[in-house]
mmCIF file of all heavy atoms in Angstrom:
data_model
loop_
_atom_site.group_PDB
_atom_site.id
_atom_site.type_symbol
_atom_site.label_atom_id
_atom_site.label_comp_id
_atom_site.label_asym_id
_atom_site.label_seq_id
_atom_site.Cartn_x
_atom_site.Cartn_y
_atom_site.Cartn_z
ATOM 1 N N VAL A 5 117.929 62.905 14.334
ATOM 2 C CA VAL A 5 118.909 62.360 13.378
ATOM 3 C C VAL A 5 119.693 63.420 12.760
ATOM 4 O O VAL A 5 120.949 63.209 12.596
ATOM 5 C CB VAL A 5 118.090 61.572 12.325
ATOM 6 C CG1 VAL A 5 118.999 61.127 11.128
ATOM 7 C CG2 VAL A 5 117.484 60.320 12.889
ATOM 8 N N VAL A 8 122.389 64.411 15.415
ATOM 9 C CA VAL A 8 123.361 63.507 15.601
ATOM 10 C C VAL A 8 124.301 63.577 14.310
ATOM 11 O O VAL A 8 125.561 63.526 14.398
ATOM 12 C CB VAL A 8 122.809 62.068 15.643
ATOM 13 C CG1 VAL A 8 123.826 60.979 15.532
ATOM 14 C CG2 VAL A 8 122.092 61.955 17.069
ATOM 15 N N VAL A 23 144.193 65.289 12.840
ATOM 16 C CA VAL A 23 145.259 64.390 12.066
ATOM 17 C C VAL A 23 146.164 65.303 11.257
ATOM 18 O O VAL A 23 147.523 65.106 11.304
ATOM 19 C CB VAL A 23 144.508 63.433 11.184
ATOM 20 C CG1 VAL A 23 145.427 62.770 10.245
ATOM 21 C CG2 VAL A 23 143.767 62.443 12.031
ATOM 22 N N GLU A 41 170.795 67.476 15.073
ATOM 23 C CA GLU A 41 171.911 66.656 14.532
ATOM 24 C C GLU A 41 172.918 67.252 13.809
ATOM 25 O O GLU A 41 174.102 67.163 14.110
ATOM 26 C CB GLU A 41 171.226 65.560 13.646
ATOM 27 C CG GLU A 41 172.276 64.593 13.120
ATOM 28 C CD GLU A 41 172.950 63.716 14.173
ATOM 29 O OE1 GLU A 41 172.360 63.408 15.269
ATOM 30 O OE2 GLU A 41 174.177 63.211 13.963
ATOM 31 N N GLU A 49 182.817 69.028 15.411
ATOM 32 C CA GLU A 49 183.879 69.564 14.557
ATOM 33 C C GLU A 49 184.712 70.699 15.194
ATOM 34 O O GLU A 49 185.902 70.736 15.128
ATOM 35 C CB GLU A 49 183.450 69.916 13.198
ATOM 36 C CG GLU A 49 182.937 68.833 12.315
ATOM 37 C CD GLU A 49 182.165 69.302 11.100
ATOM 38 O OE1 GLU A 49 181.954 70.555 10.870
ATOM 39 O OE2 GLU A 49 181.817 68.329 10.226
ATOM 40 N N VAL A 53 188.708 70.899 16.299
ATOM 41 C CA VAL A 53 189.594 71.962 15.813
ATOM 42 C C VAL A 53 190.207 72.625 17.202
ATOM 43 O O VAL A 53 191.419 72.852 17.218
ATOM 44 C CB VAL A 53 188.759 73.021 15.009
ATOM 45 C CG1 VAL A 53 189.612 74.305 14.886
ATOM 46 C CG2 VAL A 53 188.374 72.376 13.670
ATOM 47 N N GLU A 56 192.896 70.341 18.406
ATOM 48 C CA GLU A 56 194.163 70.500 17.428
ATOM 49 C C GLU A 56 194.874 71.810 17.816
ATOM 50 O O GLU A 56 196.092 71.730 17.918
ATOM 51 C CB GLU A 56 193.631 70.397 16.057
ATOM 52 C CG GLU A 56 194.789 70.366 15.007
ATOM 53 C CD GLU A 56 194.440 70.243 13.614
ATOM 54 O OE1 GLU A 56 193.140 70.063 13.308
ATOM 55 O OE2 GLU A 56 195.203 70.495 12.718
ATOM 56 N N GLN A 74 218.516 77.269 23.674
ATOM 57 C CA GLN A 74 219.513 77.442 22.733
ATOM 58 C C GLN A 74 220.094 78.815 22.688
ATOM 59 O O GLN A 74 221.349 78.887 22.494
ATOM 60 C CB GLN A 74 218.971 77.035 21.257
ATOM 61 C CG GLN A 74 218.571 75.542 21.209
ATOM 62 C CD GLN A 74 219.807 74.615 21.396
ATOM 63 O OE1 GLN A 74 220.986 74.834 20.756
ATOM 64 N NE2 GLN A 74 219.694 73.679 22.241
ATOM 65 N N ILE A 82 229.303 82.488 23.096
ATOM 66 C CA ILE A 82 229.822 83.783 22.459
ATOM 67 C C ILE A 82 230.627 84.491 23.609
ATOM 68 O O ILE A 82 231.662 85.093 23.308
ATOM 69 C CB ILE A 82 228.645 84.560 21.894
ATOM 70 C CG1 ILE A 82 228.097 83.999 20.721
ATOM 71 C CG2 ILE A 82 229.123 86.035 21.789
ATOM 72 C CD1 ILE A 82 226.847 84.618 20.159
#
Side-chain angles (χ1 to χ4, degrees):
V5 170
V8 169
V23 168
E41 179 65 25
E49 290 174 356
V53 167
E56 184 178 351
Q74 293 297 313
I82 290 174

